[in-house]
Coordinates of all heavy atoms in Angstrom, one line a residue:
G251 N 13.3 6.7 -6.1 CA 14.0 5.9 -5.1 C 14.1 4.4 -5.6 O 13.5 4.0 -6.6
S252 N 14.9 3.7 -4.9 CA 15.1 2.2 -5.2 C 15.5 1.5 -3.9 O 16.2 2.1 -3.1 CB 16.2 2.0 -6.3 OG 16.4 0.7 -6.5
K253 N 15.0 0.3 -3.8 CA 15.3 -0.5 -2.5 C 16.7 -0.9 -2.4 O 17.2 -1.3 -1.4 CB 14.3 -1.6 -2.4 CG 14.5 -2.7 -3.5 CD 13.5 -3.8 -3.3 CE 13.6 -4.8 -4.5 NZ 12.6 -5.9 -4.3
D254 N 17.5 -0.9 -3.6 CA 18.9 -1.4 -3.5 C 19.8 -0.2 -3.3 O 21.0 -0.4 -3.4 CB 19.2 -2.1 -4.8 CG 19.0 -1.3 -6.1 OD1 18.4 -0.2 -5.9 OD2 19.4 -1.7 -7.2
E255 N 19.3 1.0 -3.1 CA 20.1 2.1 -2.8 C 20.1 2.5 -1.3 O 19.2 2.1 -0.6 CB 19.6 3.4 -3.6 CG 19.7 3.2 -5.1 CD 19.2 4.3 -5.9 OE1 18.6 5.3 -5.2 OE2 19.3 4.3 -7.1
K256 N 21.2 3.2 -0.9 CA 21.3 3.5 0.5 C 20.2 4.4 0.9 O 19.9 5.4 0.3 CB 22.7 4.2 0.7 CG 22.9 4.5 2.2 CD 24.3 5.2 2.3 CE 24.6 5.6 3.8 NZ 25.9 6.3 4.0
M257 N 19.5 4.1 2.0 CA 18.4 4.8 2.6 C 17.2 5.1 1.6 O 16.5 6.0 1.7 CB 18.9 6.2 3.1 CG 20.0 6.0 4.2 SD 20.4 7.5 5.0 CE 18.9 7.7 6.1
G258 N 17.1 4.1 0.6 CA 16.0 4.1 -0.3 C 16.1 5.1 -1.4 O 15.2 5.1 -2.3
N259 N 17.1 6.0 -1.5 CA 17.3 6.9 -2.5 C 18.7 7.4 -2.6 O 19.3 7.8 -1.6 CB 16.3 8.1 -2.3 CG 16.1 8.9 -3.6 OD1 17.0 9.4 -4.2 ND2 14.8 9.1 -3.9
Q260 N 19.3 7.4 -3.8 CA 20.7 7.8 -3.9 C 20.9 9.3 -4.0 O 21.9 9.9 -3.5 CB 21.3 7.2 -5.2 CG 22.8 7.4 -5.4 CD 23.3 6.7 -6.6 OE1 23.0 5.5 -6.7 NE2 24.1 7.3 -7.4
N261 N 19.9 10.0 -4.5 CA 20.0 11.5 -4.7 C 19.4 12.3 -3.6 O 19.8 13.5 -3.5 CB 19.3 11.9 -6.0 CG 20.0 11.4 -7.2 OD1 21.1 11.6 -7.5 ND2 19.2 10.6 -8.1
C262 N 18.6 11.7 -2.8 CA 17.9 12.5 -1.7 C 17.8 11.5 -0.5 O 17.1 10.5 -0.6 CB 16.6 13.0 -2.2 SG 15.9 14.2 -1.2
Q263 N 18.4 11.9 0.6 CA 18.4 11.0 1.8 C 18.0 11.8 3.1 O 18.5 12.9 3.3 CB 19.8 10.4 2.0 CG 20.2 9.5 0.8 CD 21.6 8.9 1.0 OE1 22.3 9.3 1.9 NE2 22.0 8.0 0.1
L264 N 17.2 11.2 3.9 CA 16.7 11.8 5.1 C 17.7 11.4 6.2 O 17.8 10.3 6.6 CB 15.3 11.3 5.4 CG 14.6 11.9 6.6 CD1 14.4 13.4 6.3 CD2 13.2 11.3 6.8
L265 N 18.3 12.5 6.8 CA 19.2 12.3 7.9 C 18.7 13.1 9.1 O 19.0 14.3 9.2 CB 20.6 12.8 7.5 CG 21.2 12.2 6.2 CD1 22.5 12.9 5.9 CD2 21.5 10.7 6.4
G266 N 18.0 12.4 10.0 CA 17.4 13.0 11.1 C 16.4 14.1 10.7 O 15.4 13.7 10.1
N267 N 16.6 15.3 11.1 CA 15.7 16.4 10.7 C 16.2 17.2 9.5 O 15.8 18.3 9.2 CB 15.5 17.4 11.9 CG 14.8 16.7 13.0 OD1 13.9 15.8 12.8 ND2 15.1 17.1 14.2
Q268 N 17.1 16.6 8.7 CA 17.6 17.2 7.5 C 17.5 16.3 6.3 O 17.6 15.1 6.4 CB 19.1 17.7 7.7 CG 19.2 18.8 8.7 CD 20.7 19.3 8.7 OE1 21.6 18.6 8.5 NE2 20.8 20.6 9.0
L269 N 17.3 16.9 5.1 CA 17.3 16.1 3.9 C 18.5 16.5 3.1 O 18.7 17.7 2.7 CB 16.0 16.5 3.1 CG 15.5 15.5 2.1 CD1 15.2 14.2 2.7 CD2 14.3 16.1 1.3
E270 N 19.4 15.5 2.8 CA 20.6 15.8 2.0 C 20.3 15.5 0.5 O 19.9 14.4 0.2 CB 21.7 14.9 2.5 CG 23.0 15.2 1.9 CD 24.2 14.3 2.4 OE1 24.2 13.1 2.1 OE2 25.0 14.9 3.2
I271 N 20.5 16.5 -0.3 CA 20.2 16.4 -1.7 C 21.4 16.5 -2.5 O 22.2 17.4 -2.3 CB 19.2 17.5 -2.1 CG1 17.9 17.4 -1.3 CG2 18.8 17.4 -3.6 CD1 16.9 18.6 -1.5
R272 N 21.6 15.6 -3.5 CA 22.7 15.6 -4.4 C 22.5 16.6 -5.5 O 21.4 16.5 -6.2 CB 23.0 14.2 -5.0 CG 24.1 14.1 -6.0 CD 25.5 14.4 -5.3 NE 26.6 14.1 -6.1 CZ 27.2 14.9 -6.9 NH1 26.8 16.1 -7.1 NH2 28.3 14.5 -7.6
V273 N 23.3 17.6 -5.6 CA 23.1 18.7 -6.6 C 23.6 18.2 -8.0 O 24.6 17.5 -8.1 CB 23.9 19.9 -6.2 CG1 23.9 21.0 -7.2 CG2 23.4 20.4 -4.8
P274 N 22.9 18.6 -9.1 CA 23.4 18.3 -10.4 C 24.8 18.8 -10.6 O 25.2 19.9 -10.1 CB 22.4 18.9 -11.4 CG 21.1 19.0 -10.6 CD 21.6 19.2 -9.1
R275 N 25.6 18.1 -11.4 CA 27.0 18.5 -11.6 C 27.2 19.9 -12.2 O 28.2 20.6 -11.9 CB 27.8 17.5 -12.4 CG 28.1 16.2 -11.7 CD 29.0 15.2 -12.4 NE 28.3 14.7 -13.6 CZ 28.6 14.9 -14.9 NH1 29.6 15.8 -15.1 NH2 28.0 14.4 -15.9
C276 N 26.2 20.3 -13.0 CA 26.3 21.6 -13.7 C 26.1 22.8 -12.7 O 26.4 23.9 -13.0 CB 25.3 21.7 -14.8 SG 23.6 21.4 -14.2
L277 N 25.7 22.5 -11.4 CA 25.5 23.5 -10.4 C 26.4 23.4 -9.2 O 26.3 24.2 -8.3 CB 24.0 23.4 -9.8 CG 22.9 23.9 -10.8 CD1 21.5 23.6 -10.1 CD2 23.0 25.4 -11.1
E278 N 27.3 22.5 -9.3 CA 28.3 22.2 -8.2 C 29.1 23.5 -7.9 O 29.4 23.7 -6.7 CB 29.1 21.0 -8.4 CG 28.4 19.7 -8.3 CD 29.3 18.5 -8.6 OE1 30.5 18.7 -8.8 OE2 28.8 17.4 -8.5
K279 N 29.5 24.2 -8.9 CA 30.4 25.4 -8.7 C 29.6 26.5 -7.9 O 30.2 27.3 -7.2 CB 30.9 25.9 -10.0 CG 31.9 24.9 -10.6 CD 32.4 25.5 -11.9 CE 33.4 24.6 -12.6 NZ 34.0 25.1 -13.9
K280 N 28.3 26.5 -8.1 CA 27.5 27.6 -7.5 C 27.1 27.3 -6.1 O 27.2 28.1 -5.2 CB 26.2 27.8 -8.3 CG 26.4 28.6 -9.6 CD 25.1 28.9 -10.3 CE 25.3 29.7 -11.5 NZ 24.0 30.0 -12.2
I281 N 26.6 26.1 -5.8 CA 26.0 25.8 -4.5 C 26.7 24.5 -3.8 O 26.2 24.1 -2.8 CB 24.5 25.6 -4.6 CG1 24.2 24.5 -5.6 CG2 23.8 26.8 -5.0 CD1 22.7 24.2 -5.7
G282 N 27.7 23.9 -4.5 CA 28.3 22.8 -3.9 C 27.8 21.5 -4.3 O 26.8 21.4 -5.1
Q283 N 28.4 20.4 -3.8 CA 28.0 19.1 -4.3 C 26.7 18.6 -3.6 O 25.9 17.9 -4.2 CB 29.1 18.1 -4.0 CG 29.0 16.7 -4.6 CD 30.2 15.8 -4.4 OE1 31.1 16.2 -3.7 NE2 30.2 14.7 -5.1
Y284 N 26.5 19.0 -2.3 CA 25.3 18.6 -1.6 C 24.7 19.8 -0.9 O 25.4 20.8 -0.6 CB 25.6 17.6 -0.5 CG 26.0 16.2 -1.0 CD1 27.4 15.9 -1.2 CD2 25.1 15.2 -1.3 CE1 27.8 14.7 -1.7 CE2 25.4 14.0 -1.8 CZ 26.8 13.7 -2.0 OH 27.2 12.5 -2.5
I285 N 23.4 19.8 -0.8 CA 22.7 20.8 0.1 C 21.9 20.1 1.1 O 21.4 19.0 0.9 CB 21.8 21.8 -0.8 CG1 20.7 21.0 -1.4 CG2 22.6 22.5 -1.8 CD1 19.6 21.8 -2.1
R286 N 21.7 20.7 2.3 CA 20.9 20.1 3.4 C 19.7 21.0 3.7 O 19.9 22.2 3.9 CB 21.8 19.9 4.6 CG 22.8 18.9 4.4 CD 23.3 18.2 5.7 NE 24.2 17.1 5.5 CZ 24.6 16.3 6.5 NH1 24.1 16.6 7.8 NH2 25.3 15.3 6.3
V287 N 18.6 20.4 3.6 CA 17.3 21.1 3.8 C 16.7 20.7 5.1 O 16.4 19.5 5.3 CB 16.3 20.8 2.6 CG1 15.0 21.6 2.8 CG2 17.0 21.2 1.3
P288 N 16.5 21.7 6.0 CA 15.8 21.3 7.3 C 14.3 20.9 7.0 O 13.6 21.5 6.3 CB 15.8 22.6 8.1 CG 16.9 23.5 7.4 CD 16.9 23.1 6.0
I289 N 14.0 19.7 7.6 CA 12.7 19.1 7.4 C 12.0 18.8 8.7 O 12.7 18.3 9.6 CB 12.8 17.8 6.5 CG1 13.2 18.2 5.1 CG2 11.5 17.1 6.4 CD1 12.2 19.0 4.3
K290 N 10.7 19.0 8.8 CA 10.0 18.6 10.0 C 8.6 18.1 9.6 O 7.8 18.8 9.1 CB 9.8 19.8 11.0 CG 9.1 19.4 12.3 CD 9.0 20.6 13.2 CE 8.4 20.2 14.5 NZ 8.2 21.4 15.4
F291 N 8.4 16.8 9.8 CA 7.2 16.1 9.5 C 6.3 16.2 10.7 O 6.7 15.8 11.8 CB 7.4 14.7 9.1 CG 8.1 14.5 7.7 CD1 9.4 14.2 7.7 CD2 7.3 14.7 6.6 CE1 10.0 14.1 6.5 CE2 8.0 14.5 5.3 CZ 9.3 14.2 5.3
S292 N 5.0 16.6 10.5 CA 4.1 16.7 11.6 C 3.3 15.4 11.8 O 2.6 15.2 12.8 CB 3.0 17.8 11.4 OG 2.4 17.6 10.1

Side-chain angles (χ1 to χ4, degrees):
S252 177
K253 62 182 180 181
D254 59 351
E255 295 178 356
K256 184 180 178 181
M257 303 189 75
N259 198 306
Q260 185 173 316
N261 291 305
C262 196
Q263 297 178 352
L264 187 62
L265 305 174
N267 293 328
Q268 289 187 331
L269 198 64
E270 188 178 72
I271 302 173
R272 180 65 169 89
V273 175
R275 284 189 292 114
C276 55
L277 289 175
E278 287 182 2
K279 292 182 180 179
K280 285 186 178 181
I281 57 178
Q283 192 173 9
Y284 291 93
I285 61 170
R286 292 203 171 189
V287 180
I289 293 294
K290 185 178 180 181
F291 291 101
S292 57

